[in-house]
Amino acid sequence: MIDILLATYNGEKFIDKQIKSLVTQSRDSLNQDLRLVIRDDGSTDNTISIIKKRLEYYKKKRENPIDVLILDDKKPSGSPSGNFTRMLSLSQADYIMFSDQDDMWYRRKTEETYACMKRLEEKYGKTMPLMVHTDLSLMDESGKKIATSFYDYQKLPREDSLAQLMIQNTVTGCTVMMNRAAVDLLKEAPASEMLLMYDHFAAILVAATGKIAFIDEPLIRYRQHEGNIVGAHAADSVEEYKSRFSFGRAKFLKDMDKSYRQVGYIVKRYEDRIRQANGQETVDLMKEYSKLLMASKVERMNFFQKHKVYKSGKLKKLVQLIWC
C-alpha cells in the first residue's frame, strides 16, 4: 500500500486541481495499492465541499478509482507539521508520500518515485530508512510557468549530504516518498520537535540513519503564491536580496537557533541508531552543530569552515558568514 497524505487548510482556491492530479495518478507499473488520505485542519472556507464534489465526480467517471480516506478529525493541529504527523500516526502503509493542497502532480510522479524506491530497497534492504525526492517545476498563482527546475532556480545542490541538510533543507516535502522503516522512525518524534518544517526534520533524520535518493526531474508543478508558508525566489536575484535583508539579522538568527535545536532533538532522540548507521563521528558532528546555539560567532565560523557546513548560493552563504 502507498498512502498519499494530503494536508488541507483553507485551500478552496487551488484544491480542486490538486485533487484531480492526485486521483488520476498513473498506476500501470505499480504493484501496490494506492490510497489518498486527506486530513483538513479546520478550514473555514469551502475546501471540504470542493474536495467531496471532485471525488464524487471522479468516482462516477473512473472504472477503477483509487481508494480515498477523509479523516474525520475536528481538532485542528495548528501547523502543517502537526497535520502531517497526525496522518503519519494513522497510516500503516508500506510507503507514504506527502502532498500540499495547492500544487499539481504529473501523472507519472507516483510510479517513477516508487520505481526509485524499489531500487533503493533492492540495494539496501527494506529495514533501512529510505527517502526519495524529486525536482519541481514552478508556476505562479495563475498556473503560468516560472521555472522548469526548482533546483536550478534556487541553485541547490543535488546531493543530499547530512552537513548540508543540517543547515539548509534541500528536500521539498511535497515531492517525498518514505518507506515504512523511515516512517516508523519519524513517528517517534512529536511535531513540537520539528522546529523548522516536518520535511527538514525528516530529511536530516533519514540522512543520519539511512539513505536519500534524488530524482533529477520535475514531477510536481509547485505553485508559488502569496499564501505559501515557504516561498521561492531565484537564487542571487534582486528579489532574493530584498527578501533576505527585509527579514533582518534577528529573523536569521532565530531561524538558525531553531536549526541548532532541531538537530539537537534529533541526535538526542536517535543517537544510538545514528551511531549504528553512520558511526560515532556522525553523532559527534550533529552534537557539535547543536551546541552552536550557545557558541560565539568565532566558534560558529570555525565550525562552518572545519566541516564545510554552508548554505548553498552566494547570497545565502554571505548572509550566513556575516550574520552568524
Side-chain angles (χ1 to χ4, degrees):
M1 171 75 79
I2 301 172
D3 273 352
I4 300 174
L5 307 183
L6 171 61
T8 64
Y9 177 72
N10 286 349
E12 65 179 5
K13 194 169 184 179
F14 306 114
I15 190 62
D16 184 62
K17 289 185 177 180
Q18 175 63 321
I19 291 289
K20 182 178 179 180
S21 78
L22 296 177
V23 297
T24 56
Q25 286 290 288
S26 176
R27 293 176 280 161
D28 295 339
S29 63
L30 289 182
N31 60 359
Q32 297 277 338
D33 291 330
L34 184 62
R35 180 174 70 165
L36 174 60
V37 180
I38 304 170
R39 183 184 179 279
D40 186 74
D41 210 33
S43 291
T44 56
D45 63 2
N46 295 315
T47 297
I48 292 298
S49 62
I50 293 172
I51 289 173
K52 291 180 177 179
K53 184 177 180 179
R54 168 55 62 182
L55 292 176
E56 288 175 5
Y57 176 83
Y58 160 71
K59 289 178 181 178
K60 290 177 181 178
K61 295 292 183 179
R62 290 277 168 164
E63 292 183 2
N64 182 28
I66 68 171
D67 289 334
V68 179
L69 173 63
I70 299 179
L71 298 176
D72 187 14
D73 182 355
K74 304 249 186 319
K75 185 178 179 181
S77 69
S79 70
S81 294
N83 200 351
F84 280 121
T85 54
R86 286 197 186 177
M87 284 190 283
L88 274 181
S89 68
L90 296 173
S91 173
Q92 298 300 318
D94 299 305
Y95 309 94
I96 64 95
M97 305 176 78
F98 298 111
S99 172
D100 292 337
Q101 65 185 359
D102 41 15
D103 305 325
M104 295 173 65
W105 288 19
Y106 294 114
R107 291 192 72 246
R108 66 188 187 279
K109 177 189 186 306
T110 300
E111 286 185 318
E112 294 199 18
T113 307
Y114 177 67
C116 182
M117 175 63 75
K118 294 305 292 181
R119 291 193 292 270
L120 284 183
E121 289 188 333
E122 289 171 3
K123 184 174 183 179
Y124 299 109
K126 290 187 175 183
T127 60
M128 176 173 285
L130 300 172
M131 172 184 285
V132 177
H133 68 113
T134 81
D135 200 351
L136 318 84
S137 63
L138 294 176
M139 60 180 171
D140 64 16
E141 189 163 341
S142 66
K144 182 180 178 181
K145 181 181 286 188
I146 298 173
T148 300
S149 167
F150 178 76
Y151 277 73
D152 291 341
Y153 189 72
Q154 284 276 285
K155 297 183 179 177
L156 295 174
R158 284 169 160 81
E159 295 182 3
D160 302 299
S161 70
L162 176 61
Q164 176 75 47
L165 284 168
M166 287 194 302
I167 196 167
Q168 180 185 10
N169 189 23
T170 55
V171 173
T172 309
C174 58
T175 73
V176 161
M177 174 181 280
M178 298 172 66
N179 70 348
R180 173 47 52 181
V183 171
D184 285 343
L185 265 188
L186 184 59
K187 284 168 62 175
E188 295 180 18
S192 59
E193 293 183 5
M194 302 173 188
L195 298 180
L196 294 170
M197 280 293 283
Y198 73 93
D199 53 0
H200 196 180
F201 188 100
I204 295 170
L205 175 60
V206 176
T209 60
K211 299 294 181 181
I212 300 177
F214 174 64
I215 299 176
D216 196 359
E217 180 183 1
L219 294 177
I220 283 181
R221 296 178 67 192
Y222 176 85
R223 194 184 300 273
Q224 180 70 29
H225 57 87
E226 62 181 12
N228 289 124
I229 291 178
V230 179
H233 298 291
D236 303 327
S237 65
V238 173
E239 290 80 7
E240 178 78 353
Y241 275 87
K242 288 180 179 178
S243 175
R244 293 286 161 187
F245 288 99
S246 66
F247 285 117
R249 185 168 183 259
K251 174 67 166 55
F252 170 83
L253 291 176
K254 183 178 180 180
D255 286 344
M256 288 301 298
D257 285 352
K258 288 181 179 179
S259 173
Y260 305 140
R261 290 168 57 206
Q262 180 167 261
V263 170
Y265 281 134
I266 293 172
V267 73
K268 181 178 180 180
R269 182 173 293 277
Y270 301 101
E271 179 174 345
D272 290 342
R273 277 161 288 193
I274 295 170
R275 183 182 296 107
Q276 182 179 5
N278 285 305
Q280 185 62 40
E281 184 177 345
T282 300
V283 172
D284 292 341
L285 172 68
M286 297 178 74
K287 285 186 174 181
E288 191 175 348
Y289 181 81
S290 68
K291 291 178 181 177
L292 295 181
L293 181 67
M294 303 301 293
S296 66
K297 180 171 182 175
V298 171
E299 290 171 327
R300 291 174 179 173
M301 292 281 283
N302 289 339
F303 175 89
F304 298 146
Q305 183 176 11
K306 176 183 177 182
H307 298 288
K308 302 293 186 279
V309 177
Y310 298 113
K311 291 179 178 287
S312 64
K314 295 178 181 178
L315 174 60
K316 292 174 184 175
K317 183 177 178 180
L318 178 63
V319 169
Q320 175 189 340
L321 295 177
I322 293 175
W323 280 354
C324 72

